[in-house]
Amino acid sequence: MEWWTWILLWLALVALSLLFLGFLAWRLFKGFTALMDELGRAGELLTPSNPVNEESDPVQQLPAAFRDPAEVRAHIAVAARERRWRRLERRVRRRSLRGQPQLLRDMPHL
């Protein structure tokens, strides 16, 4: 074979490999855009129905790591009391529906 046939052969191989890499890049780009479209649709479905009130206290929106430790402890204590109260209400309601006797500690007026 002549030397120029080797040059033509290598040029054809490089051109085909570049064409193939371009095809792969195009498919990757199309797949990425489809993924972004799906993420946008999923984000629209997962947004809360009631938007965050912008007039709310900006300190409450800070992560706990950046807030005052005493304030975080107070918030945790209030949340724990609320959870305890909701559990008590559920227990009293469940026992009254089943006809079971109530515990004395569950009666808030005593």
Side-chain angles (χ1 to χ4, degrees):
M1 283 211 300
E2 296 290 327
W3 62 272
W4 54 270
T5 56
W6 287 106
I7 292 175
L8 287 178
L9 181 66
W10 279 103
L11 284 177
L13 286 174
V14 168
L16 285 175
S17 63
L18 288 177
L19 186 65
F20 181 69
L21 287 175
F23 171 72
L24 289 179
W26 178 254
R27 282 191 53 191
L28 182 65
F29 173 73
K30 294 300 276 183
F32 180 73
T33 55
L35 175 67
M36 289 297 117
D37 290 340
E38 286 295 320
L39 282 176
R41 271 187 249 136
E44 290 172 1
L45 290 175
L46 295 177
T47 54
S49 59
N50 53 354
V52 176
N53 187 3
E54 300 202 8
E55 298 173 1
S56 66
D57 188 16
V59 175
Q60 292 292 335
Q61 296 175 359
L62 285 175
F66 300 117
R67 292 187 0 218
D68 182 31
E71 180 184 329
V72 173
R73 280 188 213 103
H75 179 70
I76 289 172
V78 167
R81 280 193 301 268
E82 288 176 4
R83 283 192 309 271
R84 225 176 281 127
W85 182 254
R86 283 191 303 247
R87 260 194 323 264
L88 176 96
E89 287 177 337
R90 285 194 312 262
R91 184 171 51 240
V92 167
R93 190 177 331 115
R94 182 180 62 240
R95 284 177 164 259
S96 67
L97 287 174
R98 293 179 181 171
Q100 297 173 332
Q102 296 293 334
L103 298 174
L104 288 177
R105 68 174 185 205
D106 289 345
M107 297 184 188
H109 59 279
L110 293 180

